[in-house]
Amino acid sequence: MAIDYTETGFETNIEESLILSGYMQRKLEGIALADFKKTAIDVEVLFQFLESTQSMSIQRLQKVYKEHYKTKIVERLTRELDKRGMIDCIRHGIKDYGVNLKLVYNQPVSTMNQTLIDLYNQNIFTVSRQVFYSNQNNNSIDMLVSLNGLPIAVLELKNPLTSQTVDDAKKQFMTDRDPKELLFQFKKRAIVYFAVDPDEIYMATQINKEKTFFLPFNKGNNGGKGNPTVYNDYKTSYLWKDILQKDSLIDILFRFVFIKQEDIKDSTGEIIDKKETVIFPRYHQLDVVRKVEEHVRSNGVGQNYLVQHSAGSGKTNSISWLSHRLAKLHDMEDNAVYNSVIVITDRRVLDKQLQDAVYQLEHKAGMVAKIEKDSTQLANSLVNGTRIIITTLQKFPFIMEKVGEFERGKYAIIIDEAHSSQGGKAATAMTNILSDKTLEEALEADRVAEDNMEDVEEKIIETIAKSGKQDNISFFAFTATPKAKTLEKFGTLGEDGKPHAFHVYTMRQAIEEGFILDVLKTYTTYKTFYKIAKKIEDDPEVSSKKASKEIAKYVALHPHNIAQKTEIMIEHFRQVTRHKIGGRAKAMVVTGSRLHAVKYKQAFDKYMNEKGYEDLKAIVAFSGTVEDGGVSFTEPEMNGFGEKELPEKFNSDEYKVLLVAEKYQTGFDEPLLHTMYVDKKLDGIKAVQTLSRLNRTCKGKNDTFVLDFVNEAEDIQKAFQPYYEVTGLESTTDPNLLYDLQRELDACQVYTEEEINEVCKLEFSDKKKTTKTQEKLNSILDNAVERYKKLLIEQQDDFKGASSKFIRTYSFILQIGPFADVDLHKLYVYLNYLLKKLPKIGSEVVYLADDIALQYYRNEKVFEGNISLAIQGGSELKPTAHGKGTGKEEEKEKLSSIIDRLNDKFGTDFSSTDILSYDQIKEDIINNDDLAQKAKHNSKDNFKFSYETAFLDIVIERMSQNEKFFMKILEDSNFKNTIMEYMLDEVYEGLNNRPEI
């Protein structure tokens, strides 16, 4: 006999599995089918449930409505379903003539009330096949899952063995299922629609013809999309053997599904409509929340959990659900496991969404509080037992302090790391006034500020470390890009002895499932070629490394450089980007500093005005005040609207390009962002977080584009690889490296053992600390300071670097495992004080802007293509390691040698004849009497028109002397414009300085 490979066989296997688990087989026919076609409710089963569980209530309504009571109750139920929706009616029942009717009984939170358990067990789960749902046609659905006669899930089943797949099932929902049919009307009847074949599952919560939006409901397979092979079963059997099981389905209906409401705005920002979406959890969201909850129930408070979920995983919803679950979690004695759940986030959307979701799940206000003021507000929320508290990263330190004070309480702290620097809020170091700095100084100032900014993960771990191990707190850290320290602090130890994420939804799976786009697929890099000349006669010896950096910065920040890149970006946007996403695409320009952002905004505005481009507007984002040439600039003043309005304004049709300096590089979600122009060095997590601003999807967005002026394609690829699949650790931090650091520090002979002991006596003395204590402390430390001053600069640097490393490593190791060494702890205490007293090491400043000149410059495309990542099955990060400080004596070199070397590296084949030709053109123009008159009587902008005409005439006259150079000017418009633009200032100044004719 042949194997049954038909779709019917697939249906039969699913149905039989559900019946074995307690479902009732239900064939809708006769009167039952007629009622179903009219009401999309299995009326017979509904009353079977109501009469067995609420007979007294039904009898009261029977007295009111007489023999028509069933019809009247169904009419009342229909009106309530139309008005409130199926989800709300299931959770809260309906009222009819003062009588409360429960439509479904939720599972009791404990086993202490037998009556509630009995009522729960009387819920009737039915599965029906080939249901004819319409009076308009003879269409049928493959399978219907109902609860007490109410339709919950519709399944369309396909079998690849009959040449049909899950895609055909999706197509059937879109083309053959009319959303006007009562069964498919949004919110009113069925809650979820599953397209299923033996390999994959997709789901939708609204049938809307070709606009029906399907989400994958798959487990993932080895870090990618799809499902793993199951021995002796279908890959998708988890749907009917797990998700649709009675307890699971009730849990989803009462504690997961909710209605998300969003405002729809027009191009001016005015609210013109409301959009509602039924949110049904994706598989990985359901899985992580349930697994975390079960682990806490089994292991109690005090554990740490790392959830590595990629962008596109729906972290906002996952955090909302987890917050509610943990707030409602009870132990076997029916005591609440946590007094409060505290959510640390800067994601503004989470505030409202969490409050709305929890209200729908609980139907009562006051469960969620947002801490916006001070520690008193937090303390009151904790004392009053507010179930869920939302606050920001900035308040994290005093949260740790407050929960430490309430020793009897138990707390769950959920850390939403991914968005913790939204809009640069955490970047307090960036809000200072940048006063009259050169571009070179601005780049360095902002780079130093960024380097010194509190790293989000570092700050969190450091704050936890200071508070010590607390058994009354559980941490739940959500991040897409965990650092090594994050893995060690929050990871779960596996059988290999290494910490691992508790749950993973990879970047690769998110890309393959279409939730985010692959930002590395279309990547273009430009390289800047230039030639530098020395303007001074002297040839000083300067630090080779510092001079090279200074020259590179000089070129990067030259006004000509910014103008050239501005032209490339604007023209690319106009030719390519603006036609993407149905003409709604936007771009982000990532600049090197806040002063760069200001300069780029000016350059963009100038170029667009000169070209008459009125359809393209750029806005800028930077922190604080920037002063340039005695003029102050702030973001609101340059944009013409307030800082808080920027995300909304950028989302409107008016603005197309956002110029950023640190701000909005991370934690900014704008799905219309299609293109990124990068003029800043990016590496590691910063590269991933910055470029990931592009990966959000929206209707009509099929790709992204990156044009990078600074970074190498291979370096960007290398930065992304660790976070593409599962991120692991190569090994854990070895506590013994502290002894290596201790030996290195001892060898510097800066301190003595007696001095360490004396400081520790003061620190740990039971006596009250007074100003005299401070006096003694200083006198002890002064001995070491004097010895330190006698060291060579390199040795000083080594000592400082090793001391800082020791302090960071020691405090971290204390948090990740049992470790006790009194001598090391004494050294830790001593060094904390000593470092504060050590003098800062001065460093030779190399300033060359006045000594060098940019002679030639061009941007050339050097790479264009796909740098998408390799499937490797996961990557491992290196743990905290022992490293020396830096401070070796710097090599010195003649400035001319450094310039020659850089010209070799970045220059072209320009020759000395070219330099001569350049000077000849300039000389000819300056000697032109007609141009001299025009220069003296016109502004530079007006003079430019006469200058451009004369320029070409002089080039043609000079051709015989250096044909190669002059032909290049005539044939290569970019080269011509570069030379002409660069020469303009010199020529205009030279003509104006000529004696009167």
Side-chain angles (χ1 to χ4, degrees), residues 767-785:
K767 294 177 184 176
K768 186 180 176 183
K769 306 287 191 295
T770 66
T771 51
K772 290 291 181 187
T773 313
Q774 187 189 109
E775 221 173 61
K776 288 178 186 175
L777 175 65
N778 271 279
S779 67
I780 299 165
L781 295 174
D782 285 342
N783 296 317
V785 172

Side-chain angles (χ1 to χ4, degrees), residues 125 127 138 205 215 344 570 636 674 696 790 803 889 996:
F125 293 80
V127 54
N138 204 34
T205 55
L215 297 164
I344 313 293
I570 291 175
H674 173 276
R696 303 306 190 266
K790 293 174 183 175
S803 297
E889 190 175 341
E996 288 292 337

Side-chain angles (χ1 to χ4, degrees), residues 671-722:
L672 293 174
L673 262 183
H674 173 276
T675 297
M676 184 173 285
Y677 303 108
V678 181
D679 194 26
K680 177 180 182 176
K681 186 69 180 169
L682 297 173
D683 52 29
I685 286 178
K686 180 71 81 176
V688 179
Q689 291 176 337
T690 301
L691 295 173
S692 292
R693 296 309 101 221
L694 292 181
N695 66 20
R696 303 306 190 266
T697 58
C698 66
K699 189 177 177 183
K701 184 176 177 181
N702 304 311
D703 60 3
T704 63
F705 179 81
V706 179
L707 193 160
D708 195 328
F709 291 104
V710 178
N711 304 284
E712 300 285 347
E714 309 85 68
D715 294 337
I716 295 297
Q717 193 177 40
K718 188 177 174 185
F720 268 77
Q721 191 67 57

Side-chain angles (χ1 to χ4, degrees), residues 7 10-11 14 142 155-170 194-202 217-218 226-227 233-240:
E7 188 181 299
F10 187 38
E11 275 181 34
I14 295 172
D142 289 340
L155 283 72
E156 290 292 352
L157 308 171
K158 300 298 172 192
N159 195 341
L161 295 176
T162 58
S163 300
Q164 286 199 307
T165 68
V166 70
D167 291 325
D168 295 291
K170 288 194 282 185
F194 288 112
V196 189
D197 73 10
D199 300 321
E200 291 193 88
I201 305 170
Y202 283 79
F217 193 78
N218 298 311
N227 290 297
D233 208 343
Y234 299 110
K235 289 180 179 180
T236 52
S237 61
Y238 60 89
L239 177 63
W240 51 93

Side-chain angles (χ1 to χ4, degrees), residues 524-673:
T524 299
T525 60
Y526 270 67
K527 189 169 183 180
T528 298
F529 294 91
Y530 59 82
K531 194 170 183 72
I532 295 290
K534 185 163 64 68
K535 292 198 296 190
I536 55 174
E537 289 184 16
D538 295 341
D539 198 2
E541 283 200 348
V542 291
S543 160
S544 175
K545 186 177 175 184
K546 287 181 180 173
S548 299
K549 280 178 71 176
E550 279 299 310
I551 291 170
K553 278 196 293 181
Y554 170 81
V555 174
L557 299 162
H558 198 281
H560 183 67
N561 180 26
I562 287 176
Q564 288 290 299
K565 289 175 180 175
T566 294
E567 181 177 354
I568 290 169
M569 290 186 275
I570 291 175
E571 294 304 334
H572 175 270
F573 186 93
R574 289 178 57 76
Q575 292 164 26
V576 180
T577 303
R578 72 168 174 170
H579 303 297
K580 299 285 185 174
I581 321 180
R584 300 179 65 214
K586 298 179 184 291
M588 177 182 277
V589 180
V590 179
T591 73
S593 75
R594 288 169 296 152
L595 188 52
H596 273 80
V598 169
K599 293 285 190 186
Y600 266 119
K601 174 75 167 94
Q602 293 168 330
F604 263 67
D605 290 348
K606 180 185 176 188
Y607 185 85
M608 290 186 290
N609 287 336
E610 286 176 353
K611 292 288 186 179
Y613 295 160
E614 295 179 0
D615 57 345
L616 179 59
K617 281 189 179 180
I619 49 179
V620 67
F622 61 90
S623 302
T625 302
V626 174
E627 289 194 9
D628 183 36
V631 182
S632 295
F633 297 93
T634 66
E635 176 192 307
E637 286 167 358
M638 293 195 85
N639 291 330
F641 51 79
E643 194 174 343
K644 290 182 179 176
E645 296 177 68
L646 191 143
E648 204 168 282
K649 289 278 190 183
F650 188 53
N651 182 254
S652 72
D653 292 336
E654 187 177 0
Y655 297 98
K656 299 295 186 184
V657 180
L658 176 62
L659 307 154
V660 303
E662 181 61 28
K663 201 174 184 184
Y664 293 113
Q665 273 182 239
T666 59
F668 176 61
D669 285 346
E670 174 47 73
L672 293 174
L673 262 183

Side-chain angles (χ1 to χ4, degrees), residues 787-827:
R787 296 186 199 108
Y788 171 84
K789 287 178 180 176
K790 293 174 183 175
L791 297 176
L792 297 173
I793 294 294
E794 180 188 348
Q795 293 171 323
Q796 289 180 4
D797 227 358
D798 281 349
F799 181 81
K800 263 196 176 177
S803 297
S804 298
K805 186 83 172 175
F806 181 89
I807 289 168
R808 288 197 309 272
T809 308
Y810 183 79
S811 57
F812 178 63
I813 284 173
L814 283 183
Q815 291 303 302
I816 59 174
F819 183 79
D821 186 306
V822 175
D823 289 338
L824 289 183
H825 192 73
K826 284 180 180 178
L827 182 58

Side-chain angles (χ1 to χ4, degrees), residues 475-487:
F475 288 101
F476 305 84
F478 281 74
T479 180
T481 50
K483 290 184 174 180
K485 278 191 175 182
T486 311
L487 268 166

